[in-house]
Amino acid sequence: MNRRTFLGSMLAVPAFAQPSAPRVNGARLRERIEALSIFGRPDGGTFADGVSRVAYSDADVAGRAYVMKLIEGLGLKPRVDAAGNIFALRPGTNGTLPPVLFGSHIDSVPNGGNFDGDLGSLGAIEVLQTMNEAHIATRRGVELVVWQNEEGYAFNNGLAGSRAAAGHLEAGELDAVWNGMKKSDAIRKIGGNPERIAEAKRGPGTFACYLELHIEQGGTLERAGIPIGVVEGIVAIDRYDVEVRGFANHAGTTPMAERRDALVAASMLTIAVNDTVRAEPGKQVGTVGQLNVIPNVPNIVPGTVRMVVELRDLDAKKIAAIGERLQARAREIAAKTGTEIVMRPAAHHDAALANPQVQSSIEAACAGLGLKSQRLPSGAGHDAQMMALLGPMGMIFVPSVRGISHSPLEFTRWEDCARGADVLMATVLDWAMR
Ligand code: GLV
Ligand code: MN
Ligand code: MN
């Protein structure tokens, strides 16, 4: 080839069509997402029936064992820290540099889907395996993490493992009891050591950057026809435990005027959450997603209702103000219904912004792979928001079909899963070679 033809052929191939990172094995990633889905699958169900792999359940323990076996298959030794998070470090050539940390979670909400957390965890394993197969040596180490109890259905407080790593556990949290189980025992059940939980703390500067691949869980990317989302920031989340105390009495003999019906009051409060959140412009959201009616018997006026109010927005002050307005509404409703309503803050997670350099690196990875990308906020909470307290953080989103998540109908096309893992691979390598 003469010089002119050579230069011509270089020009004919745009730079973005020359990925410097190897591509992941999308078929293997799919097989593993399908294999993990067995742990927590409803009896007699299929992949399409989703998963209930609530943190600390037997299904969670079995799923974690499956993941640790995959890690061993990479020639790495999984390490379970005192909080119960799973780590695996693939060393770099310079052992003095902080590694690139990346991963997600494998616990699910009850009746959840097969992609939330699982894609980022198994995608991270796929990245490591692809690096092994391509015999890539990195300057920095690359470290995989699978966080425990991201969802926070158990103990009504999520990001449990990443909060321990960020030193954000709450006072007395290990003594909390949920479903008859003490949190310290739950941590023991997954191989952690609650007595030494302080050792799970990672200081600032213990990683070069934190990356998390995740499904979008909303419909923005699918609507726009864009395969990769580059997260700008993650919302703040406030949760309140609410107890409505009425009086349980005979449903046939208690006149309407004499009732102190806890469910009527709880219903009014639920409507108040919806109205208060909608009353001002913005993207804030508010939900009552959990309600326990006691005694929950058809012919007894409900005596007690326990419910959880959850508020989210990128602006933490905005949801704090809405929380105060709801406290006032709760007092009015209690007076009107002859009940007592106690609304107690249960969990607060700060909003977190992604690091601009990490965002640019993800965008460069997309360009290198010839993939369009778009910046967008995350309405879902992620362990990444805790890691943002310790170092540069970035997240890679892939489209959720019909924007459905926290549902067995949650689905991300397999080619989009592989694309997301390719972008993760290229971004990890970019940072690992710095
Ligand atoms: C976690 O998925 C959350 O946003 O609640
Ligand atoms: Mn998740
Ligand atoms: Mn989730």
Side-chain angles (χ1 to χ4, degrees):
M1 193 188 292
N2 65 31
R3 185 178 151 75
R4 212 177 156 150
T5 336
F6 172 73
L7 284 176
S9 71
M10 289 288 285
L11 290 173
V13 183
F16 60 74
Q18 299 173 358
S20 51
R23 306 289 278 265
V24 303
N25 181 335
R28 183 168 59 198
L29 177 57
R30 174 182 178 164
E31 264 166 39
R32 289 174 177 173
I33 291 174
E34 288 175 341
L36 180 59
S37 82
I38 289 165
F39 307 107
R41 178 175 287 179
D43 283 345
T46 66
F47 185 78
D49 295 303
V51 74
S52 291
R53 196 183 311 118
V54 171
Y56 319 119
S57 64
D58 293 347
D60 186 37
V61 171
R64 289 163 56 90
Y66 170 71
V67 162
M68 286 193 271
K69 211 155 165 241
L70 292 180
I71 293 172
E72 280 162 11
L74 299 172
L76 300 177
K77 198 169 156 31
R79 173 177 74 86
V80 177
D81 75 358
N85 300 308
I86 302 169
F87 288 94
L89 176 69
R90 183 179 188 268
T93 52
N94 185 337
T96 64
L97 294 172
V100 178
L101 183 66
F102 57 109
S104 193
H105 62 98
I106 65 154
D107 66 300
S108 83
V109 289
N111 211 31
N114 287 310
F115 294 83
D116 177 357
D118 301 359
L119 172 62
S121 302
L122 296 171
I125 289 177
E126 182 55 38
V127 164
L128 289 178
Q129 188 151 359
T130 306
M131 283 170 66
N132 281 357
E133 287 165 354
H135 305 289
I136 293 177
T138 54
R139 187 160 171 263
R140 295 173 185 278
V142 289
E143 188 173 18
L144 165 111
V145 60
V146 179
W147 302 108
Q148 64 99 339
N149 195 7
E150 187 273 349
E151 296 289 3
Y153 176 71
F155 299 95
N156 192 21
N157 200 353
L159 312 183
S162 55
R163 280 190 299 111
H168 271 237
L169 287 181
E170 285 151 25
E173 187 169 338
L174 294 182
D175 297 325
V177 176
W178 177 81
N179 267 2
M181 176 170 42
K182 205 166 157 190
K183 189 149 190 184
S184 49
D185 292 331
I187 287 175
R188 255 180 228 113
K189 179 172 175 182
I190 57 167
N193 184 344
E195 280 75 37
R196 305 178 72 155
I197 198 141
E199 292 172 17
K201 197 166 154 185
R202 287 181 80 118
T206 55
F207 53 81
C209 74
Y210 174 77
L211 297 167
E212 185 164 345
L213 165 65
H214 207 282
I215 56 168
E216 182 199 334
Q217 307 184 272
T220 311
L221 293 174
E222 189 185 48
R223 270 194 302 275
I226 295 204
I228 302 291
V230 182
V231 171
E232 296 167 317
I234 306 171
V235 289
I237 305 179
D238 280 345
R239 277 191 192 172
Y240 296 86
D241 277 334
V242 180
E243 184 162 307
V244 185
R245 300 173 192 152
F247 191 83
N249 207 344
H250 198 293
T253 59
T254 313
M256 295 310 281
E258 287 174 25
R259 293 177 180 219
R260 292 158 55 201
D261 186 326
L263 183 54
V264 168
S267 307
M268 290 167 78
L269 185 58
T270 304
I271 307 264
V273 169
N274 191 58
D275 290 348
T276 309
V277 170
R278 284 169 182 262
E280 54 185 293
K283 289 190 174 158
Q284 68 279 358
V285 291
T287 309
V288 175
Q290 192 176 7
L291 205 70
N292 294 315
V293 181
I294 300 161
N296 210 21
V297 172
N299 52 357
I300 301 180
V301 175
T304 304
V305 171
R306 294 200 183 95
M307 59 200 269
V308 179
V309 174
E310 201 201 68
L311 304 171
R312 301 185 182 211
D313 194 71
L314 269 180
D315 181 353
K317 284 200 198 97
K318 189 175 202 178
I319 53 172
I322 292 175
E324 277 168 29
R325 255 168 270 151
L326 286 172
Q327 294 275 14
R329 290 297 308 274
R331 284 191 289 276
E332 289 165 17
I333 293 165
K336 206 165 166 179
T337 54
T339 60
E340 188 189 347
I341 303 181
V342 180
M343 186 168 157
R344 191 183 62 79
H348 168 80
H349 300 308
D350 278 326
L353 294 180
N355 174 280
Q357 273 177 285
V358 181
Q359 288 174 302
S360 305
S361 168
I362 296 169
E363 283 165 343
C366 291
L369 289 156
L371 297 171
K372 278 196 186 154
S373 65
Q374 172 182 327
R375 293 198 179 194
L376 78 179
S378 171
H382 298 286
D383 294 302
Q385 65 203 88
M386 280 297 130
M387 290 306 97
L389 300 173
L390 302 182
M393 171 280 278
M395 289 193 75
I396 299 158
F397 273 2
V398 286
S400 290
V401 172
R402 292 162 57 209
I404 300 172
S405 182
H406 282 186
S407 154
L409 296 178
E410 177 179 282
F411 188 68
T412 290
R413 289 182 217 293
W414 297 112
E415 57 272 28
D416 285 332
C417 292
R419 285 182 181 124
D422 278 335
V423 174
L424 177 65
M425 170 97 213
T427 315
V428 167
L429 280 182
D430 176 17
W431 282 78
M433 297 304 190
R434 290 181 187 201

